Amino acid sequence: MLERLTRPLHFSSLLLIGILCLGSTIAFAQSVTVTHLTIESRENPLGLDVRQPRFGWVLATDERDVVQTAYHILVASSAEKLANGEGDLWDSGKVASAQSGQVPYAGRPLESRMPCHVKVKVWTNRGETTWSAPAHWTMGLLYYKDWRGRWIGFDHPFPWDSIATIPSLSARYFRKEFQPKKEVASATAYIMGLGLYELYLNGQKIGDQVLAPTPTDYTENVKYNTFDVTEAVVSGDNAIGVTLGNGRYFTMRQNYKPYKIKNFGFPKLLLQLELTYTDGSTEVIKTDGSWKGTADGPIRNNNEYDGEFYDARKEMPGWNRAGFDDRAWLAAEYVQEPRGDFEAQLNPNMKVMDSLKPVSLRPLAGNRYVLDLGQNMVGWLKMRVEGTRGDTVHLRFAESLQDNGDLFVANLRDARATDTYVLKGGGEEVWEPSFTYHGFRYVEISGYPGTPSVDDFVGQFVYDDIATTGTFESSDPLLNQLFRNAWWGIAGNYKGMPVDCPQRNERQPWLGDRAIGAYGESFLFDNQLVYAKWLDDIRLSQRADGALPDVAPAFWRYYSDNMTWPGTLILVAQMLYRQYGDRAAIAENYPAMKQWLAYMQERYMTEAFIVTKDSYGDWCVPPVSIEAGRGKSADQKHPSALISTAYYYHFMQLMTDFAHLLGEEKDAAAFQALGGQIKEAFNREFYHPDRGYYDEGQLTSNLLPLAFGLVPEANCEQVFDEIVKTIEVEHQGHLSSGLIGTQWLMRGLTENGRPDLAYQLATNTTYPSWGYMVEHGATTIWELWNGNTAAPSMNSQNHVMLLGDLLIWYYEHLAGIKSDDEAVAFRKIIMNPYFPDDLRYVNASYQSVQGLIRSHWQKSKNRLTWDITIPANTSARVYLPTDEVKNIKVGNAPLNQVPAVRVVGTENGKTVLDVASGHYQFTIRNPR
Ligand code: RAM
C-alpha cells in the first residue's frame, strides 16, 4: 500500500522562516547562486540586432528542493552604473515568476551600437540570492544608414582564374591604412566578407573563427560579424587587411547542373571600423574606392569541394601591416551588392575545435605516404615542412583506403579534395588552408621534401563553436562506440547549417536528414542557435506560392514538393520549443508553416483527404541482404501516399498545439478538423482490416500510423504485432526502415511495450544495423546501411541521417532524461529508464538550459542503485522498477522519510515519485 506523503517542512525552510522574522535573508545568499547568465543564449555577445533580447540563467546550489519564486533584472548603459545598482536601461523590479529562461528585455528602446550591461538576482524558497556576475552585450547596426561604406571587390576573373565547370578563383586581398586622429577609447569592426573572410588588423588575425561568416542564401540575408578590436588599434599608422575566399558565394560548381545550383557572384566585402575617441567623438573607417586590392597572392585557388592551392612564393610579407608598398595593387572596385538583408550573426562561427595527432604514417609507392588520423573527421591538415623553394606538396583527402593501401576516392565524386602547398624555401614552413575543408580520415602526402614523420602533421577538427552538452557511457562497448561515432558525425557536419556529407561534391543542408535527428542531436550539442538560424534559412527560402525546398539555404534549388523534407520546418521548431523553450522558433515560422501546408493541400490533397505527392519515400531502406545491395546505393525512391498523408496528419496535430500556444484558436480548430478527416481517410485508404496492417505491411507503413496516433484504439495491438512480426520473423531481429521510418522506430517499439526489441536493434552487429557499421570499421555513421558494398556514387561514410531517433532513445529511454511536454525545456523531467537485462550500467548527463541533469544507474546482485541530479528550479517524475515502496531507499533513509520526494502511485509495476531538485541516490532491492 502506498502512503501519500504530505511534505514536512524542510529544516532549512524552518530556518528561513526564522530568519525572515528577523528581517534578514543574508544567511542564504550563498546557498543558491545565479550563474551562466546568457543573452539570446550567448555569453556576452557583440553586435546583436535583436531589439528585445532574451535572458536566461541557471541556479546553482547544493540544496534540494529549490524553486525560484521571483527575479529581478537590471540593465545599465555602463558597467559602473550596473555596479551601482542603477538600471538606467531597464529595471524589471521584482517579478514574481519561476521563469529562468527566454525572459525578454522590456526596457528603453535599444539603439545601434549601445553597450548594455546586465545582472540578475532571484528569490527562491531558500531566500534571496546575491546579484549574478555581470554580463554584457552590444547592439549591432540596426539600420541601413548605419552602414557607411560600399561593397568592394572585383566582379570579374583574373587571367589565372577559371570559371568553368570546375571553378577556381584565387583569394582576393584588400587593405587600407589609417591613422586615428586622437586617443582611441574603443574600436569596433563590423564585417561582411563574402563568401568567406579573414580579417587582420596590424598583421594580427582578429578572432578565432574560421570559414566565417555563416553561410546563407545571400540574396535573402547576409550575416555580419562584430569584433571589439580596441586592443589591436595603435596610435599612428594602422592597417586593415582582409582576405576573401569563395565559400558558397562563388559557388563550388558553376555550370554543373546550372538549373539547380544558385550562384551569387564574385567575392566581396563591406566593412567598417568605428573608432571612438576618449573625448567621445567618433570616426568611421569604411570600405570604399580608396582601398587597394589584389588577386595575385599566395592562395591561388580555393574551393570547398576541391581544396586550396597555396603558393608560398607569392606571399606578400607585411601586406596586412602599415607601411607595405601597395603601389602594384589595384584600386578596389565598387561591385554588385549581394541583395540580401544585413543581419547580425547570432549562431556561432566555426572554429578549430580540436587538434588530432595522426596515429600512423605509412609509405606508398612513388614517394607517397598515407597518414591515418584514426578517426573520420572534418577539417584539414596543418603541416610543417622544410625544403627548397618551389617544392610542391600535395595533400589528398579520403575517408577510407583501397585494399592496396591507396586512397579510396570514388565516393568523393568529382570533388578533388586536394590541398597543394608550394614552398618558399629557406627554413621551416608551417601551413594550413584558410578557405576549404575536407571530410577524411586518411591523407595521401606526395612531393614532401625529405622524410615526413607523424609529428609534422596535425588534424584540425573544424565545426561550429558550440558546446558538447551530453555524455553517455554504459557497460556495453558497442553502445558507447555508436555514441562516439554519432558525436563525431554530427559535430563535423555542423557548418553554420547541418550539412549531409563533408567529403563529396554535395555538402548540402538537406532538410529531411535532420527532421528528427536535430532532436537527438540536441542532447549531445547545444544546437539551439544553429537550428534557429536554419529555420530562418528554411523560411526565407519559401517561394511566394508557399513551396518549401528540400535543401535550405537553397544552394541547390530543389522544390520537389513532398511532406517529409520541407516538414522539417515544423519538426525542428517543435524541437527548439521542447528542448530549449524557444517559443519564438514557433511564432516566427508559424505563418510559413501554415502557408506551406495550404500550398500542399491545394495541390496534392484529393477530395478524399489523401496527400498524393511524395519525393523520396522511406529514403535509403536497406536492401534485403548485404549481397543484394552490392553495387546499389539503395537509392531507389518509393514515393508513397501513405507517408505523405501520415505526415500531413501529424503536422495537423503539431499545428493544433502551436496554434493553441500562440492563441490562434480559430486555426487550432481548423487544423484539428482537417486532421480528423485525414485520419478517417487514411484508415479507409491504407488499412487492411482483414490482414491487420497498413499498405503492404512494411515496417515504416505500420510504424508511422502508430507513432502519429492514426490507428484506432481497437487496432493498435494488431498493428503493433505486425511491426514485431516484421522485425522478429521477416527480418530476423533487424530493422528494415530507411530515413523516415527510423526516425520513429526506437521510441515506437519502446513506447508500445517492446523496449527489449529496441535494445536488440541498438546492439545488433549483423546487417542491417548501426553496429554493423561499427563492426566494419566505421568511426562515424554511414549514409547507407550497406555502405560497405554499395556503389560509391552515393555512399558517404559520414552522414547522420540514419541515426533516426536512436539518440533520443539513448537519453529518454536508456538514461531516463526526457522533458515533459507539459513543462518544456526540462522544467519537469521524466525519468523512466528501461533497464535492459544485458546492461549493467548507464551513466549519462545532459547540460539542459536549467542546469545539469544526471542519471547513473547500476545493477548489482538483487539491487539497483540510481544516482540522479535534478537541477534547481525543476522537478522530476521518477519511475523506480519496483512496486514495493519498502524496497526503496534514498541514501540511507527509507523513502517516506525524505521530504523532497513524494510517492505518486504505481504504474506498470513501477513506483512513481515526484522528486524536487537536488542530488539523490536511490537503492532498490529486488528490482523488477
Ligand atoms: C542525398 C543525400 C541526402 C538526402 C538526399 C535526398 O543527396 O543522401 O542526405 O537527403 O539525397
Short mmCIF file of all heavy atoms in Angstrom, two decimals, residues 882-906:
data_model
loop_
_atom_site.label_atom_id
_atom_site.label_comp_id
_atom_site.label_asym_id
_atom_site.label_seq_id
_atom_site.Cartn_x
_atom_site.Cartn_y
_atom_site.Cartn_z
N THR A 882 10.13 -1.09 -9.04
CA THR A 882 9.56 -1.97 -8.02
C THR A 882 8.21 -1.38 -7.63
O THR A 882 8.03 -0.16 -7.71
CB THR A 882 10.46 -2.06 -6.77
OG1 THR A 882 9.85 -2.90 -5.82
CG2 THR A 882 10.68 -0.68 -6.14
N ASP A 883 7.29 -2.23 -7.21
CA ASP A 883 6.05 -1.64 -6.68
C ASP A 883 6.02 -1.72 -5.16
O ASP A 883 5.02 -1.42 -4.53
CB ASP A 883 4.82 -2.28 -7.33
CG ASP A 883 4.84 -3.78 -7.25
OD1 ASP A 883 5.71 -4.32 -6.53
OD2 ASP A 883 4.00 -4.42 -7.92
N GLU A 884 7.15 -2.13 -4.60
CA GLU A 884 7.24 -2.23 -3.14
C GLU A 884 8.00 -1.02 -2.60
O GLU A 884 9.22 -0.96 -2.69
CB GLU A 884 8.02 -3.50 -2.75
CG GLU A 884 7.36 -4.79 -3.19
CD GLU A 884 6.35 -5.29 -2.16
OE1 GLU A 884 6.14 -4.58 -1.15
OE2 GLU A 884 5.80 -6.37 -2.38
N VAL A 885 7.28 -0.09 -2.03
CA VAL A 885 7.94 1.13 -1.53
C VAL A 885 8.98 0.78 -0.47
O VAL A 885 10.03 1.43 -0.37
CB VAL A 885 6.88 2.09 -0.97
CG1 VAL A 885 7.54 3.22 -0.20
CG2 VAL A 885 6.05 2.66 -2.11
N LYS A 886 8.73 -0.28 0.27
CA LYS A 886 9.67 -0.63 1.34
C LYS A 886 11.01 -1.09 0.79
O LYS A 886 12.01 -1.14 1.50
CB LYS A 886 9.06 -1.68 2.28
CG LYS A 886 8.78 -3.03 1.64
CD LYS A 886 8.30 -3.99 2.73
CE LYS A 886 7.99 -5.41 2.29
NZ LYS A 886 7.90 -5.78 0.93
N ASN A 887 11.05 -1.43 -0.50
CA ASN A 887 12.32 -1.85 -1.11
C ASN A 887 13.18 -0.68 -1.59
O ASN A 887 14.22 -0.87 -2.18
CB ASN A 887 12.05 -2.77 -2.30
CG ASN A 887 11.62 -4.16 -1.84
OD1 ASN A 887 11.70 -4.46 -0.65
ND2 ASN A 887 11.18 -4.98 -2.78
N ILE A 888 12.66 0.51 -1.36
CA ILE A 888 13.36 1.69 -1.90
C ILE A 888 14.01 2.49 -0.77
O ILE A 888 13.36 2.77 0.25
CB ILE A 888 12.36 2.61 -2.64
CG1 ILE A 888 11.67 1.83 -3.76
CG2 ILE A 888 13.07 3.84 -3.18
CD1 ILE A 888 10.53 2.57 -4.41
N LYS A 889 15.26 2.84 -0.98
CA LYS A 889 15.93 3.76 -0.05
C LYS A 889 16.47 4.95 -0.80
O LYS A 889 16.85 4.85 -1.97
CB LYS A 889 17.09 3.04 0.64
CG LYS A 889 16.66 2.25 1.84
CD LYS A 889 17.85 2.01 2.73
CE LYS A 889 17.38 1.51 4.09
NZ LYS A 889 18.42 0.73 4.75
N VAL A 890 16.48 6.07 -0.11
CA VAL A 890 17.07 7.27 -0.70
C VAL A 890 18.27 7.59 0.20
O VAL A 890 18.10 7.93 1.36
CB VAL A 890 16.09 8.45 -0.69
CG1 VAL A 890 16.69 9.63 -1.46
CG2 VAL A 890 14.76 8.04 -1.29
N GLY A 891 19.47 7.44 -0.36
CA GLY A 891 20.64 7.46 0.52
C GLY A 891 20.47 6.32 1.50
O GLY A 891 20.22 5.19 1.09
N ASN A 892 20.50 6.64 2.79
CA ASN A 892 20.29 5.59 3.78
C ASN A 892 18.88 5.60 4.35
O ASN A 892 18.54 4.78 5.19
CB ASN A 892 21.29 5.74 4.93
CG ASN A 892 22.68 5.40 4.46
OD1 ASN A 892 22.84 4.47 3.66
ND2 ASN A 892 23.66 6.17 4.90
N ALA A 893 18.09 6.56 3.89
CA ALA A 893 16.78 6.75 4.52
C ALA A 893 15.69 6.00 3.77
O ALA A 893 15.74 5.88 2.54
CB ALA A 893 16.45 8.23 4.54
N PRO A 894 14.71 5.50 4.47
CA PRO A 894 13.54 4.96 3.79
C PRO A 894 12.85 6.07 3.01
O PRO A 894 12.91 7.24 3.40
CB PRO A 894 12.63 4.47 4.92
CG PRO A 894 13.43 4.56 6.17
CD PRO A 894 14.60 5.46 5.93
N LEU A 895 12.21 5.67 1.94
CA LEU A 895 11.62 6.63 1.02
C LEU A 895 10.72 7.66 1.72
O LEU A 895 10.81 8.86 1.46
CB LEU A 895 10.82 5.85 -0.03
CG LEU A 895 10.23 6.63 -1.17
CD1 LEU A 895 11.31 7.37 -1.94
CD2 LEU A 895 9.50 5.68 -2.11
N ASN A 896 9.89 7.16 2.63
CA ASN A 896 8.89 8.07 3.21
C ASN A 896 9.49 9.06 4.21
O ASN A 896 8.77 9.85 4.80
CB ASN A 896 7.74 7.27 3.83
CG ASN A 896 8.23 6.32 4.89
OD1 ASN A 896 9.38 6.40 5.32
ND2 ASN A 896 7.37 5.39 5.29
N GLN A 897 10.79 8.98 4.41
CA GLN A 897 11.39 9.96 5.32
C GLN A 897 12.13 11.08 4.60
O GLN A 897 12.81 11.89 5.21
CB GLN A 897 12.35 9.26 6.29
CG GLN A 897 11.59 8.52 7.38
CD GLN A 897 12.52 7.71 8.25
OE1 GLN A 897 13.72 7.96 8.31
NE2 GLN A 897 11.94 6.72 8.92
N VAL A 898 12.03 11.05 3.28
CA VAL A 898 12.77 12.08 2.53
C VAL A 898 11.79 13.15 2.07
O VAL A 898 10.92 12.90 1.25
CB VAL A 898 13.49 11.45 1.32
CG1 VAL A 898 14.31 12.49 0.58
CG2 VAL A 898 14.38 10.31 1.79
N PRO A 899 11.93 14.34 2.61
CA PRO A 899 10.92 15.36 2.38
C PRO A 899 10.76 15.80 0.93
O PRO A 899 9.67 16.16 0.52
CB PRO A 899 11.38 16.54 3.24
CG PRO A 899 12.74 16.21 3.73
CD PRO A 899 13.00 14.78 3.53
N ALA A 900 11.85 15.75 0.17
CA ALA A 900 11.75 16.28 -1.20
C ALA A 900 11.20 15.26 -2.19
O ALA A 900 11.14 15.51 -3.38
CB ALA A 900 13.12 16.78 -1.66
N VAL A 901 10.80 14.11 -1.66
CA VAL A 901 10.34 13.03 -2.54
C VAL A 901 8.92 12.66 -2.14
O VAL A 901 8.63 12.47 -0.96
CB VAL A 901 11.27 11.80 -2.38
CG1 VAL A 901 10.72 10.62 -3.16
CG2 VAL A 901 12.68 12.14 -2.82
N ARG A 902 8.04 12.56 -3.12
CA ARG A 902 6.65 12.23 -2.83
C ARG A 902 6.20 11.07 -3.72
O ARG A 902 6.44 11.09 -4.93
CB ARG A 902 5.78 13.46 -3.12
CG ARG A 902 4.34 13.33 -2.70
CD ARG A 902 3.63 14.68 -2.88
NE ARG A 902 3.53 15.05 -4.30
CZ ARG A 902 2.53 14.64 -5.10
NH1 ARG A 902 1.57 13.89 -4.63
NH2 ARG A 902 2.52 15.01 -6.37
N VAL A 903 5.58 10.09 -3.12
CA VAL A 903 5.09 8.96 -3.91
C VAL A 903 3.77 9.34 -4.57
O VAL A 903 2.85 9.81 -3.92
CB VAL A 903 4.89 7.70 -3.04
CG1 VAL A 903 4.33 6.56 -3.87
CG2 VAL A 903 6.20 7.30 -2.37
N VAL A 904 3.72 9.13 -5.88
CA VAL A 904 2.50 9.49 -6.62
C VAL A 904 1.60 8.28 -6.79
O VAL A 904 0.39 8.38 -6.77
CB VAL A 904 2.88 10.05 -8.01
CG1 VAL A 904 1.63 10.42 -8.79
CG2 VAL A 904 3.80 11.24 -7.87
N GLY A 905 2.21 7.11 -6.94
CA GLY A 905 1.42 5.90 -7.13
C GLY A 905 2.26 4.84 -7.81
O GLY A 905 3.50 4.92 -7.81
N THR A 906 1.61 3.86 -8.39
CA THR A 906 2.35 2.87 -9.17
C THR A 906 1.80 2.84 -10.58
O THR A 906 0.64 3.15 -10.82
CB THR A 906 2.24 1.43 -8.58
OG1 THR A 906 0.86 1.13 -8.43
CG2 THR A 906 2.97 1.29 -7.28
#
